[in-house]
Amino acid sequence: MKLKIAVLSGDGVGPEVCDQAVKVLKAIELKFKHQFTFHEGLVGGVAIDKKGTPLPEETLTLCHESDAILFGAIGDPKYENSADTEIRPEEGLLKLRKDLGLYANIRPLKVYGPLIHKSPVKEKVIKNTDFIIFRELTGGIYYGEKKLSSDGHKASDECVYTTEEVDRVAHLAFKSAKSRRKKLTLIDKANVLETSRLWRKRVKELAKEYPEVTVDYLYVDNAAMKIILNPRAFDVILTENLFGDILSDEASVISGSIGLLASTSIGDKSVLFEPIHGSFPEKKGKNIANPLATILSAALLLEHFKLYEEADAIKSAVEKSIELNITTPDINATKKYAHTSTVGEFVSEYIIDKKNILYKMENISLGQSTII
Ligand code: IPM
Ligand code: MN
């Protein structure tokens, strides 16, 4: 298959982790005889520095012309905590989502057996947890009108949802539930918010089209508690933009590291894959950020194009790296932790030739990897 992939690595550790995902995709290309081309685009703080805007026009054009987008991370402390900063790197991502119409962000959560003890939550609580969050991504309070009074003492962010915005992401979530354990939980704040009441009304209506799916409704405060107390109770979670942002970070704690979680953002014409973690600026350039979330995002990319065998090859290689403890310090507290690039090399080498992996591991540690 021929695929044109835009790589928007962004800020902080974004470039380091994206490099590894590209390396892994190149291994897939070689092994399975595909033709992938990679095209870099500037976004975020680095784009502000070089072009004066967090989302330059040429990046947007590149994204429109690509089959898929691989995204790293965004955010730079240089632009943070200063209320009067005019342009923020995050605006690049928000504008990208809006312009490409990426209305659904899908964040699967899985607990890896060998890592179960790394989670701060008890093993017996999280064992076999497997749920997926459908977060609405281009509406709600993120995109409502923002106001600040001229005296600087009053601010507001409007939260708006239309039935159309609710329906399109809800349909995706229902379809996913249908192919999984047939349970959908809508998380909202319908006891307080009008927008949440609209979500409930629509989801109740749409549920009639999916009779095999059981639907339940939870207030977000209660859900935040249940995700930690009884995560196995969830199958598909459907929620609005802000709640989805918060709950997915919370849920990542269950897996032991936010550095493991990948996501897909779907629009009618575009599709973007990114780790759920941020730019982790403190660790930038140290070659210790966990690349697995971005590598797993590359697996989601392949799945999107129905390259299931290829995606499975990545997932098995990732599982092997975890099993062999070839992992970065966030999940490997020993002195023998692996660097970001080593994890990427291991995963790539394992895809190319898993039989000789032990021999190859020696080469990797000697810096003689065959495909880098
Ligand atoms: C995420 C991030 C973004 C968001 C930020 C960087 C704007 O936290 O993708 O979850 O809030 O959506
Ligand atoms: Mn977030």
Side-chain angles (χ1 to χ4, degrees):
M1 182 181 276
K2 276 191 184 170
L3 285 178
K4 177 172 180 180
I5 301 170
V7 181
L8 275 50
S9 51
D11 302 324
V13 300
E16 296 160 52
V17 293
C18 275
D19 279 354
Q20 305 319 310
V22 169
K23 199 184 276 174
V24 168
L25 284 169
K26 285 186 176 160
I28 292 287
E29 191 188 8
L30 197 71
K31 173 92 180 174
F32 294 87
K33 308 209 174 358
H34 294 299
Q35 277 175 278
F36 300 155
T37 54
F38 301 92
H39 308 263
E40 284 177 30
L42 289 172
V43 73
V46 56
I48 300 178
D49 293 347
K50 291 195 177 141
K51 301 273 173 184
T53 162
L55 184 63
E57 206 49 50
E58 55 264 38
T59 301
L60 199 53
T61 310
L62 168 69
C63 291
H64 278 293
E65 289 170 352
S66 300
D67 299 303
I69 303 150
L70 184 68
F71 194 93
I74 220 165
D76 190 311
K78 175 161 99 184
Y79 298 96
E80 260 163 41
N81 304 326
S82 88
D84 49 24
T85 302
E86 299 245 307
I87 336 174
R88 288 168 189 276
E90 287 79 2
E91 278 168 30
L93 179 57
L94 299 181
K95 190 165 182 300
L96 187 70
R97 287 173 179 167
K98 195 71 171 179
D99 281 20
L100 299 179
L102 302 170
Y103 62 83
N105 180 232
I106 306 163
R107 299 184 162 182
L109 184 105
K110 189 179 140 113
V111 175
Y112 289 91
L115 290 182
I116 203 158
H117 60 284
K118 308 267 181 207
S119 171
V121 190
K122 287 194 188 88
E123 183 172 339
K124 66 172 198 284
V125 175
I126 60 173
K127 207 168 171 211
N128 298 324
T129 292
D130 173 14
F131 64 80
I132 180 162
I133 300 178
F134 279 74
R135 164 187 175 193
E136 197 291 325
L137 202 60
T138 49
I141 200 164
Y142 269 63
Y143 291 94
E145 195 183 346
K146 297 176 192 322
K147 285 192 202 150
L148 181 65
S149 65
S150 49
D151 65 1
H153 285 292
K154 191 177 165 192
S156 64
D157 296 276
E158 200 185 14
C159 181
V160 182
Y161 267 111
T162 64
T163 50
E164 193 198 339
E165 286 170 327
V166 175
D167 291 6
R168 59 190 179 181
V169 62
H171 276 300
L172 288 184
F174 271 112
K175 282 182 192 141
S176 166
K178 218 171 128 175
S179 70
R180 292 173 47 100
R181 299 194 310 277
K182 302 185 174 41
K183 184 175 171 194
L184 183 143
T185 305
L186 175 70
I187 298 182
D188 62 24
K189 188 73 188 166
N191 50 348
V192 177
L193 303 176
E194 201 57 49
T195 41
S196 287
R197 289 192 274 272
L198 183 78
W199 272 81
R200 266 197 198 206
K201 193 162 168 263
R202 289 309 300 171
V203 167
K204 274 190 185 147
E205 198 57 40
L206 298 183
K208 294 179 194 152
E209 294 175 39
Y210 302 90
E212 61 277 71
V213 177
T214 311
V215 185
D216 65 359
Y217 304 87
L218 278 183
Y219 296 141
V220 61
D221 44 353
N222 187 12
M225 210 167 65
K226 286 211 170 130
I227 282 178
I228 297 295
L229 288 178
N230 186 15
R232 272 193 299 268
F234 296 98
D235 178 17
V236 171
I237 289 177
L238 169 64
T239 191
E240 58 112 275
N241 203 346
L242 180 62
F243 299 159
D245 179 46
I246 299 168
L247 293 176
S248 55
D249 269 32
E250 185 201 4
S252 76
V253 169
I254 297 171
S255 74
S257 171
I258 195 167
L260 292 168
L261 299 191
S263 82
T264 305
S265 298
I266 291 198
D268 286 326
K269 295 207 184 74
S270 300
V271 61
L272 178 148
F273 302 87
E274 60 171 321
I276 84 154
H277 64 71
S279 57
F280 204 15
E282 316 85 274
K283 302 294 179 214
K284 175 184 172 175
K286 297 204 161 103
N287 200 15
I288 55 168
N290 193 341
L292 292 182
T294 318
I295 292 173
L296 289 166
S297 299
L300 291 177
L301 185 157
L302 297 173
E303 264 172 29
H304 178 81
F305 293 99
K306 304 200 175 1
L307 301 176
Y308 299 114
E309 201 188 329
E310 290 83 340
D312 284 348
I314 296 186
K315 289 194 250 175
S316 313
V318 165
E319 273 162 30
K320 199 71 185 175
S321 80
I322 292 172
E323 197 185 306
L324 296 175
N325 229 1
I326 303 171
T327 43
T328 45
D330 53 312
I331 45 177
N332 184 346
T334 71
K335 285 207 180 99
K336 283 188 172 167
Y337 68 79
H339 284 101
T340 311
S341 53
T342 310
V343 175
E345 280 152 31
F346 174 82
V347 172
S348 311
E349 293 285 351
Y350 191 84
I351 289 167
I352 301 276
D353 186 2
K354 66 176 158 211
K355 290 205 189 84
N356 289 314
I357 195 66
L358 291 173
Y359 166 73
K360 293 203 170 197
M361 270 167 67
E362 266 168 38
N363 282 346
I364 288 171
S365 62
L366 292 170
Q368 296 170 353
S369 171
T370 49
I371 63 157
I372 46 164

